[in-house]
Amino acid sequence: MMAARCSVPSKEAQLFQTFTGLQHLAETRRFKAWFLDQFGVLHDGKKPYPGAILTLEKLAMTGSKMVIISNSSRRASTTMEKMKSLGFDPSLFVGAITSGELTHQYLHRRDDAWFAALGRSCIHMTWSDRGAISLEGLDLQVVEDVGEAEFVLVHGTEAMGTPSGTAIPMKLEDLEKTLEHCAAKKIPMVVANPDFVTVEARALRVMPGTLAAKYEKLGGEVKWMGKPDKIIYEAAMAMADVDVSDSIAVGDSLHHDIKGANAAGIQSAFITGGIHANELGLVGFGEAADLSSVQALAPKYDAYPSYVLPAFTW
Protein backbone atom coordinates (compact mmCIF):
# COMPACT_ATOMS: atom_id res chain seq x y z
CA MET A 1 0.00 0.00 0.00
CA MET A 2 1.33 3.45 -0.93
CA ALA A 3 0.03 6.97 -0.46
CA ALA A 4 0.66 9.63 -3.05
CA ARG A 5 -0.06 13.31 -2.63
CA CYS A 6 -1.54 14.56 -5.84
CA SER A 7 -0.79 18.15 -6.85
CA VAL A 8 -4.08 19.59 -8.05
CA PRO A 9 -5.49 23.07 -8.61
CA SER A 10 -7.62 23.12 -5.45
CA LYS A 11 -7.45 24.52 -1.95
CA GLU A 12 -5.94 21.37 -0.53
CA ALA A 13 -3.80 18.70 -2.09
CA GLN A 14 -5.49 15.45 -2.96
CA LEU A 15 -4.34 12.23 -1.33
CA PHE A 16 -4.99 8.79 -2.74
CA GLN A 17 -3.80 5.36 -1.66
CA THR A 18 -2.66 2.67 -4.04
CA PHE A 19 -3.33 -1.03 -3.57
CA THR A 20 -2.49 -4.11 -5.62
CA GLY A 21 -5.92 -5.61 -4.81
CA LEU A 22 -9.11 -4.99 -2.85
CA GLN A 23 -8.44 -7.28 0.12
CA HIS A 24 -7.07 -4.70 2.55
CA LEU A 25 -9.78 -2.18 1.75
CA ALA A 26 -12.57 -4.75 1.93
CA GLU A 27 -11.45 -6.35 5.17
CA THR A 28 -11.51 -3.02 7.02
CA ARG A 29 -15.32 -3.29 6.52
CA ARG A 30 -15.38 0.49 6.35
CA PHE A 31 -17.86 0.46 3.49
CA LYS A 32 -21.29 -1.17 3.73
CA ALA A 33 -22.05 -0.68 0.04
CA TRP A 34 -19.91 -0.99 -3.07
CA PHE A 35 -21.19 0.60 -6.29
CA LEU A 36 -19.49 -1.22 -9.14
CA ASP A 37 -19.11 -0.17 -12.74
CA GLN A 38 -19.30 -3.16 -15.08
CA PHE A 39 -17.50 -2.45 -18.40
CA GLY A 40 -13.78 -1.96 -17.75
CA VAL A 41 -14.04 -3.19 -14.16
CA LEU A 42 -15.86 -6.53 -14.01
CA HIS A 43 -15.77 -7.49 -17.70
CA ASP A 44 -14.82 -6.20 -21.14
CA GLY A 45 -18.21 -6.85 -22.74
CA LYS A 46 -17.14 -10.30 -23.92
CA LYS A 47 -15.72 -12.03 -20.85
CA PRO A 48 -15.00 -11.41 -17.14
CA TYR A 49 -11.62 -9.98 -16.22
CA PRO A 50 -9.28 -12.44 -14.48
CA GLY A 51 -10.15 -12.70 -10.79
CA ALA A 52 -13.30 -10.53 -11.01
CA ILE A 53 -15.76 -13.31 -10.07
CA LEU A 54 -13.61 -14.52 -7.17
CA THR A 55 -13.21 -10.94 -5.91
CA LEU A 56 -16.98 -10.43 -5.93
CA GLU A 57 -17.46 -13.64 -3.94
CA LYS A 58 -14.85 -12.59 -1.36
CA LEU A 59 -16.34 -9.11 -1.13
CA ALA A 60 -19.77 -10.63 -0.49
CA MET A 61 -18.28 -12.71 2.33
CA THR A 62 -17.36 -9.50 4.17
CA GLY A 63 -21.08 -8.67 4.32
CA SER A 64 -20.83 -5.85 1.79
CA LYS A 65 -23.84 -4.88 -0.31
CA MET A 66 -22.99 -4.61 -4.00
CA VAL A 67 -24.88 -2.61 -6.61
CA ILE A 68 -23.95 -2.42 -10.28
CA ILE A 69 -24.13 1.18 -11.46
CA SER A 70 -23.71 1.45 -15.16
CA ASN A 71 -24.17 4.01 -17.90
CA SER A 72 -25.61 1.22 -20.06
CA SER A 73 -28.61 2.42 -22.04
CA ARG A 74 -30.37 -0.88 -21.37
CA ARG A 75 -32.78 -1.72 -18.56
CA ALA A 76 -31.45 -3.07 -15.25
CA SER A 77 -32.95 -6.52 -15.87
CA THR A 78 -31.08 -6.78 -19.18
CA THR A 79 -27.83 -5.86 -17.42
CA MET A 80 -28.34 -8.59 -14.82
CA GLU A 81 -29.08 -11.12 -17.58
CA LYS A 82 -25.87 -10.07 -19.33
CA MET A 83 -23.89 -10.50 -16.09
CA LYS A 84 -25.33 -13.98 -15.61
CA SER A 85 -24.47 -14.96 -19.19
CA LEU A 86 -20.85 -13.93 -18.54
CA GLY A 87 -20.63 -16.22 -15.51
CA PHE A 88 -21.42 -13.79 -12.68
CA ASP A 89 -23.83 -14.81 -9.90
CA PRO A 90 -26.70 -12.25 -9.84
CA SER A 91 -27.51 -13.17 -6.22
CA LEU A 92 -24.28 -11.48 -5.11
CA PHE A 93 -25.78 -8.09 -6.00
CA VAL A 94 -28.53 -6.10 -4.33
CA GLY A 95 -29.42 -5.06 -7.86
CA ALA A 96 -28.41 -2.83 -10.73
CA ILE A 97 -29.00 0.82 -11.54
CA THR A 98 -28.43 1.72 -15.19
CA SER A 99 -28.79 4.96 -17.08
CA GLY A 100 -31.30 3.18 -19.29
CA GLU A 101 -33.35 2.16 -16.26
CA LEU A 102 -33.34 5.69 -14.83
CA THR A 103 -34.32 7.11 -18.21
CA HIS A 104 -37.20 4.64 -18.53
CA GLN A 105 -38.45 5.39 -15.01
CA TYR A 106 -38.31 9.17 -15.40
CA LEU A 107 -39.99 9.08 -18.84
CA HIS A 108 -42.67 6.75 -17.48
CA ARG A 109 -43.42 8.53 -14.19
CA ARG A 110 -42.95 12.12 -15.37
CA ASP A 111 -43.19 13.28 -11.75
CA ASP A 112 -40.06 15.39 -12.26
CA ALA A 113 -40.83 18.92 -13.49
CA TRP A 114 -38.28 18.75 -16.34
CA PHE A 115 -39.66 15.44 -17.64
CA ALA A 116 -43.26 16.51 -17.10
CA ALA A 117 -42.65 19.35 -19.55
CA LEU A 118 -41.34 17.04 -22.30
CA GLY A 119 -43.64 16.22 -25.15
CA ARG A 120 -44.42 12.71 -26.43
CA SER A 121 -42.91 12.82 -29.93
CA CYS A 122 -39.18 12.21 -30.25
CA ILE A 123 -36.28 11.55 -32.56
CA HIS A 124 -34.84 8.23 -31.31
CA MET A 125 -31.16 7.38 -31.80
CA THR A 126 -30.46 3.78 -30.89
CA TRP A 127 -28.36 0.68 -31.52
CA SER A 128 -28.29 -1.47 -34.63
CA ASP A 129 -26.08 -4.55 -34.28
CA ARG A 130 -26.41 -4.38 -30.48
CA GLY A 131 -30.20 -4.54 -30.79
CA ALA A 132 -32.54 -1.54 -30.66
CA ILE A 133 -33.90 -0.36 -27.31
CA SER A 134 -37.60 -0.92 -26.71
CA LEU A 135 -39.73 2.10 -25.76
CA GLU A 136 -42.70 -0.07 -24.85
CA GLY A 137 -44.90 1.32 -22.10
CA LEU A 138 -43.60 4.89 -22.37
CA ASP A 139 -46.41 6.29 -24.56
CA LEU A 140 -43.91 7.91 -26.92
CA GLN A 141 -44.30 8.59 -30.61
CA VAL A 142 -41.07 8.10 -32.53
CA VAL A 143 -40.85 10.42 -35.54
CA GLU A 144 -38.32 10.71 -38.35
CA ASP A 145 -39.05 14.35 -39.21
CA VAL A 146 -37.27 16.78 -36.89
CA GLY A 147 -40.10 19.25 -37.52
CA GLU A 148 -42.49 16.92 -35.67
CA ALA A 149 -40.14 16.14 -32.76
CA GLU A 150 -40.48 17.65 -29.28
CA PHE A 151 -37.27 16.12 -27.93
CA VAL A 152 -34.36 13.83 -28.81
CA LEU A 153 -33.89 10.50 -27.03
CA VAL A 154 -30.44 8.94 -27.39
CA HIS A 155 -29.90 5.29 -26.46
CA GLY A 156 -27.26 4.42 -29.06
CA THR A 157 -24.96 5.67 -31.81
CA GLU A 158 -25.65 3.26 -34.67
CA ALA A 159 -29.20 3.76 -35.92
CA MET A 160 -32.33 5.90 -36.13
CA GLY A 161 -35.55 4.56 -34.68
CA THR A 162 -38.70 4.50 -36.78
CA PRO A 163 -42.41 4.84 -35.88
CA SER A 164 -42.83 1.08 -36.41
CA GLY A 165 -40.20 0.30 -33.76
CA THR A 166 -37.50 -0.86 -36.16
CA ALA A 167 -34.09 0.77 -36.44
CA ILE A 168 -32.38 2.00 -39.61
CA PRO A 169 -28.55 1.75 -39.41
CA MET A 170 -26.89 5.15 -39.82
CA LYS A 171 -23.35 6.47 -39.74
CA LEU A 172 -22.33 8.63 -36.78
CA GLU A 173 -21.83 11.67 -39.01
CA ASP A 174 -25.39 11.32 -40.35
CA LEU A 175 -26.78 11.21 -36.82
CA GLU A 176 -24.75 14.33 -36.04
CA LYS A 177 -26.29 16.12 -39.05
CA THR A 178 -29.75 15.30 -37.67
CA LEU A 179 -28.67 16.78 -34.33
CA GLU A 180 -27.76 20.04 -36.06
CA HIS A 181 -31.39 20.35 -37.21
CA CYS A 182 -32.65 19.43 -33.72
CA ALA A 183 -30.41 22.08 -32.11
CA ALA A 184 -31.65 24.69 -34.59
CA LYS A 185 -35.20 23.85 -33.47
CA LYS A 186 -34.06 24.15 -29.83
CA ILE A 187 -35.56 20.88 -28.61
CA PRO A 188 -34.05 19.19 -25.53
CA MET A 189 -32.16 15.89 -25.47
CA VAL A 190 -32.33 13.00 -23.00
CA VAL A 191 -29.18 10.85 -23.16
CA ALA A 192 -29.65 7.34 -21.74
CA ASN A 193 -25.92 6.55 -21.73
CA PRO A 194 -23.55 9.43 -20.85
CA ASP A 195 -20.38 7.44 -21.69
CA PHE A 196 -18.21 8.90 -24.46
CA VAL A 197 -16.52 5.60 -25.28
CA THR A 198 -16.45 2.14 -23.74
CA VAL A 199 -13.92 -0.67 -23.59
CA GLU A 200 -15.02 -3.65 -25.62
CA ALA A 201 -12.50 -6.48 -25.89
CA ARG A 202 -9.66 -3.93 -25.50
CA ALA A 203 -11.07 -1.67 -28.26
CA LEU A 204 -12.76 1.69 -27.62
CA ARG A 205 -16.27 2.15 -29.00
CA VAL A 206 -18.14 5.46 -29.45
CA MET A 207 -21.06 5.82 -27.04
CA PRO A 208 -24.11 8.16 -26.75
CA GLY A 209 -22.34 10.68 -24.51
CA THR A 210 -20.32 11.70 -27.56
CA LEU A 211 -23.52 12.74 -29.35
CA ALA A 212 -24.75 14.53 -26.21
CA ALA A 213 -21.49 16.51 -25.91
CA LYS A 214 -21.81 17.44 -29.58
CA TYR A 215 -25.39 18.61 -28.94
CA GLU A 216 -24.30 20.84 -26.08
CA LYS A 217 -21.63 22.39 -28.32
CA LEU A 218 -24.39 23.12 -30.81
CA GLY A 219 -26.23 24.97 -28.03
CA GLY A 220 -28.69 22.18 -27.23
CA GLU A 221 -29.98 21.35 -23.75
CA VAL A 222 -29.04 17.87 -22.50
CA LYS A 223 -30.36 15.84 -19.58
CA TRP A 224 -27.55 13.46 -18.62
CA MET A 225 -29.13 10.32 -17.09
CA GLY A 226 -26.15 8.71 -15.41
CA LYS A 227 -22.56 9.13 -14.31
CA PRO A 228 -21.07 11.67 -13.62
CA ASP A 229 -24.41 13.12 -12.51
CA LYS A 230 -25.10 12.26 -8.86
CA ILE A 231 -28.60 11.06 -9.80
CA ILE A 232 -27.38 7.49 -10.33
CA TYR A 233 -25.39 7.38 -7.08
CA GLU A 234 -28.38 8.62 -5.09
CA ALA A 235 -30.50 5.87 -6.67
CA ALA A 236 -27.84 3.28 -5.72
CA MET A 237 -27.69 4.51 -2.13
CA ALA A 238 -31.48 4.28 -1.90
CA MET A 239 -31.39 0.73 -3.31
CA ALA A 240 -28.73 -0.38 -0.80
CA ASP A 241 -30.30 1.65 2.04
CA VAL A 242 -27.02 3.37 2.94
CA ASP A 243 -25.79 6.94 3.19
CA VAL A 244 -22.80 8.74 1.74
CA SER A 245 -20.33 7.74 4.47
CA ASP A 246 -21.04 4.02 4.00
CA SER A 247 -20.51 4.00 0.22
CA ILE A 248 -17.65 3.56 -2.23
CA ALA A 249 -17.78 3.58 -6.03
CA VAL A 250 -15.41 1.52 -8.17
CA GLY A 251 -14.82 2.47 -11.79
CA ASP A 252 -12.33 2.83 -14.62
CA SER A 253 -13.42 6.22 -15.97
CA LEU A 254 -12.13 9.34 -14.28
CA HIS A 255 -14.70 11.56 -15.99
CA HIS A 256 -17.70 9.33 -15.29
CA ASP A 257 -17.04 7.04 -12.31
CA ILE A 258 -14.62 9.06 -10.23
CA LYS A 259 -15.93 12.55 -10.99
CA GLY A 260 -19.45 11.25 -10.33
CA ALA A 261 -18.40 9.83 -6.97
CA ASN A 262 -16.77 13.18 -6.16
CA ALA A 263 -20.03 14.97 -7.03
CA ALA A 264 -22.05 12.56 -4.86
CA GLY A 265 -19.61 13.02 -1.96
CA ILE A 266 -18.62 9.36 -1.73
CA GLN A 267 -15.25 7.59 -1.70
CA SER A 268 -13.97 6.04 -4.93
CA ALA A 269 -11.55 3.44 -6.26
CA PHE A 270 -10.04 4.05 -9.69
CA ILE A 271 -9.24 0.96 -11.79
CA THR A 272 -6.36 2.00 -14.04
CA GLY A 273 -6.45 -0.93 -16.46
CA GLY A 274 -9.73 0.04 -18.17
CA ILE A 275 -10.58 3.00 -20.33
CA HIS A 276 -7.45 5.00 -19.39
CA ALA A 277 -4.97 2.13 -19.88
CA ASN A 278 -3.47 3.64 -23.05
CA GLU A 279 -3.20 7.13 -21.54
CA LEU A 280 -1.38 5.63 -18.55
CA GLY A 281 0.96 3.62 -20.77
CA LEU A 282 -0.37 0.25 -19.61
CA VAL A 283 -0.20 -2.83 -21.82
CA GLY A 284 -0.90 -6.01 -19.85
CA PHE A 285 -3.77 -6.81 -17.48
CA GLY A 286 -2.96 -6.05 -13.85
CA GLU A 287 0.00 -3.86 -14.70
CA ALA A 288 0.41 -1.11 -12.09
CA ALA A 289 0.23 2.47 -13.30
CA ASP A 290 3.03 4.88 -12.54
CA LEU A 291 1.97 7.14 -9.65
CA SER A 292 3.09 10.30 -11.43
CA SER A 293 0.99 9.34 -14.46
CA VAL A 294 -2.15 9.03 -12.31
CA GLN A 295 -1.31 12.31 -10.58
CA ALA A 296 -1.03 14.03 -13.95
CA LEU A 297 -4.24 12.52 -15.30
CA ALA A 298 -6.56 13.35 -12.38
CA PRO A 299 -6.51 17.16 -12.82
CA LYS A 300 -7.05 16.73 -16.56
CA TYR A 301 -10.48 15.27 -15.82
CA ASP A 302 -11.01 17.22 -12.56
CA ALA A 303 -11.62 13.85 -10.91
CA TYR A 304 -9.83 12.67 -7.80
CA PRO A 305 -9.99 9.05 -6.56
CA SER A 306 -9.59 7.97 -2.95
CA TYR A 307 -7.85 4.74 -3.97
CA VAL A 308 -6.06 3.49 -7.08
CA LEU A 309 -5.81 -0.18 -8.17
CA PRO A 310 -4.59 -1.89 -11.37
CA ALA A 311 -7.64 -4.15 -11.63
CA PHE A 312 -10.68 -5.48 -9.75
CA THR A 313 -8.77 -8.30 -8.05
CA TRP A 314 -8.52 -9.48 -4.48
Side-chain angles (χ1 to χ4, degrees):
M1 180 184 79
M2 294 179 65
R5 189 162 289 279
C6 185
S7 177
V8 297
S10 64
K11 289 182 181 177
E12 54 185 273
Q14 298 289 324
L15 188 69
F16 61 78
Q17 289 179 287
T18 61
F19 295 100
T20 54
L22 282 181
Q23 183 175 2
H24 177 82
L25 198 54
E27 290 182 346
T28 63
R29 299 177 190 263
R30 177 182 172 187
F31 303 107
K32 294 179 183 176
W34 293 65
F35 305 145
L36 308 174
D37 181 37
Q38 52 166 344
F39 289 93
V41 174
L42 301 177
H43 62 79
D44 66 1
K46 304 294 183 184
K47 63 183 186 304
Y49 285 117
I53 291 176
L54 178 63
T55 302
L56 283 173
E57 291 170 349
K58 287 183 175 290
L59 198 51
M61 288 172 67
T62 68
S64 300
K65 296 178 179 178
M66 291 179 285
V67 179
I68 292 172
I69 57 167
S70 171
N71 276 355
S72 169
S73 48
R74 302 192 183 281
R75 300 288 302 277
S77 57
T78 304
T79 290
M80 294 309 285
E81 288 165 12
K82 167 84 171 179
M83 294 295 289
K84 188 176 182 179
S85 73
L86 290 173
F88 293 94
D89 179 359
S91 71
L92 294 177
F93 304 97
V94 175
I97 303 279
T98 66
S99 297
E101 185 66 39
L102 285 175
T103 301
H104 187 92
Q105 290 176 6
Y106 274 73
L107 283 172
H108 179 69
R109 293 198 310 257
R110 294 193 177 237
D111 52 4
D112 172 272
W114 194 89
F115 280 88
L118 278 184
R120 296 284 175 179
S121 60
C122 67
I123 292 288
H124 186 212
M125 296 183 179
T126 185
W127 297 115
S128 175
D129 62 6
R130 286 167 166 246
I133 306 283
S134 171
L135 303 181
E136 189 176 351
L138 293 179
D139 191 24
L140 295 178
Q141 178 60 49
V142 174
V143 297
E144 295 175 85
D145 181 358
V146 172
E148 299 174 12
E150 293 170 289
F151 72 101
V152 188
L153 178 57
V154 185
H155 276 106
T157 62
E158 297 172 342
M160 188 77 80
T162 68
S164 66
T166 58
I168 301 170
M170 290 186 83
K171 292 180 179 178
L172 193 67
E173 43 274 32
D174 292 328
L175 293 177
E176 289 178 338
K177 285 176 185 173
T178 299
L179 289 183
E180 290 174 8
H181 297 303
C182 293
K185 194 187 173 190
K186 299 190 182 306
I187 58 176
M189 171 190 284
V190 178
V191 60
N193 181 332
D195 282 352
F196 299 129
V197 292
T198 193
V199 178
E200 199 161 271
R202 294 294 286 182
L204 296 182
R205 185 166 185 156
V206 175
M207 301 302 281
T210 297
L211 291 176
K214 164 88 172 179
Y215 201 59
E216 284 190 333
K217 284 183 180 176
L218 290 168
E221 180 186 6
V222 176
K223 190 63 135 180
W224 298 82
M225 297 302 291
K227 301 175 284 187
D229 195 282
K230 63 183 180 180
I231 186 173
I232 197 165
Y233 297 89
E234 290 170 347
M237 284 187 274
M239 177 178 276
D241 192 25
V242 294
D243 60 25
V244 167
S245 62
D246 295 324
S247 308
I248 183 169
V250 182
D252 69 315
S253 168
L254 285 168
H255 175 77
H256 295 100
D257 302 305
I258 308 306
K259 191 170 185 174
N262 291 167
I266 67 176
Q267 299 281 295
S268 62
F270 172 43
I271 303 298
T272 57
I275 207 168
H276 294 292
N278 289 338
E279 282 178 282
L280 292 168
L282 304 176
V283 180
F285 176 82
E287 183 182 346
D290 182 71
L291 285 179
S292 61
S293 297
V294 179
Q295 289 173 338
L297 204 58
K300 178 181 175 182
Y301 292 92
D302 190 26
Y304 305 99
S306 316
Y307 310 98
V308 175
L309 301 97
F312 187 76
T313 55
W314 192 248

